[in-house]
Amino acid sequence: MCYARFGELLDAAAEIDVSDSPPTLEAIGYDAHFQSRLGALEGQLTPARIAIAHGESYIAWSSRGICKAVLAGGNRGDRWQEAIDRPQVGDWVAGSYSESGDTLLVEHLLPRRTSLMRQASGGRGVAQVIAANVDVVGIVSAFGEGKGARNVRLINEPRLQRYLTAVEQSRAQAVLIVNKSDLSVDPAATTLELGRHFPGVPVVLTSAK
């Protein structure tokens, strides 16, 4: 792991404005589902949510605010051998603070409610978690300005279908977002067309203008 890089991430996270006090765990997704999972574990454990995953080290949100977190036992511990079993962004974990009080030692990964996944690069056929416990996933496409035609679409329906399949398998709700709608002469027609292609999936048109 690159400790210098992780230090930069931790410094950046420390600059986040938390308005004098950190958000409550409930405000960042901690509810009865995860509370019951924590209650089934032995010991006095602290829940936290992973904000940044960087190798064996993490930045997490706990009731104390932003903190550094590391895997108890290191990456080679029995429970952390497979990548899919290690915490990823969005995961809720449970652990205890180090003696110095500035690092959370992650002892447990709480069961995921949703899990957005893909195949890891390299053709190994290994599943990789992109994000966990996500409620809504926005899939963004855009209109584009072409030569002599302002209604060029940078929308690839087969690709959208692959993304939608991944979101459906994750058990999260998908939303199709089409940006730069100001470049289209008839953006509503695209909404209707996507609705026919992907019935039941909300379509949102956006524009910076």
Side-chain angles (χ1 to χ4, degrees):
M1 143 183 161
C2 177
Y3 287 92
R5 177 58 180 154
F6 184 77
E8 293 173 6
L9 293 173
L10 190 60
D11 290 342
E15 295 177 0
I16 296 175
D17 180 12
V18 293
S19 301
D20 298 328
S21 62
T24 65
L25 295 182
E26 289 75 17
I28 58 173
Y30 190 68
D31 57 16
H33 169 84
F34 296 109
Q35 188 174 20
S36 65
R37 300 304 189 273
L38 180 68
L41 302 174
E42 296 182 356
Q44 297 295 319
L45 298 172
T46 297
R49 191 168 196 186
I50 301 299
I52 299 175
H54 189 72
E56 298 175 31
S57 294
Y58 304 85
I59 293 174
W61 285 98
S62 74
S63 57
R64 298 186 184 183
I66 298 170
C67 66
K68 178 181 177 181
V70 298
L71 301 178
N75 194 30
R76 297 183 180 180
D78 292 341
R79 75 186 71 177
W80 313 121
Q81 288 186 355
E82 300 296 332
I84 196 172
D85 298 324
R86 298 175 204 141
Q88 300 298 333
V89 172
D91 270 322
W92 281 96
V93 298
S96 56
Y97 278 95
S98 61
E99 292 184 1
S100 63
D102 61 353
T103 301
L104 181 70
L105 304 178
V106 177
E107 301 173 35
H108 300 278
L109 171 64
L110 301 185
R112 294 163 176 144
R113 176 181 285 147
T114 66
S115 183
L116 186 62
M117 307 182 71
R118 68 178 178 186
Q119 293 297 312
S121 60
R124 296 174 296 162
V126 178
Q128 180 181 32
V129 178
I130 301 173
N133 302 312
V134 175
D135 297 320
V136 179
V137 177
I139 303 172
V140 182
S141 297
F143 292 97
E145 191 168 8
K147 297 179 180 179
R150 296 187 69 250
N151 204 32
V152 175
R153 293 186 306 137
L154 304 179
I155 300 172
N156 185 313
E157 279 83 0
R159 182 181 301 152
L160 289 181
Q161 183 59 66
R162 292 196 298 272
Y163 291 158
L164 286 168
T165 299
V167 175
E168 181 180 2
Q169 291 174 346
S170 78
R171 302 189 301 278
Q173 169 67 51
V175 176
L176 294 176
I177 302 170
V178 187
N179 195 23
K180 300 185 179 180
S181 59
D182 56 287
L183 297 180
S184 173
V185 296
D186 189 7
T190 296
T191 302
L192 293 174
E193 183 177 350
L194 290 175
R196 289 193 295 269
H197 276 288
F198 311 112
V201 180
V203 180
V204 178
L205 297 179
T206 63
S207 169
K209 293 186 178 182

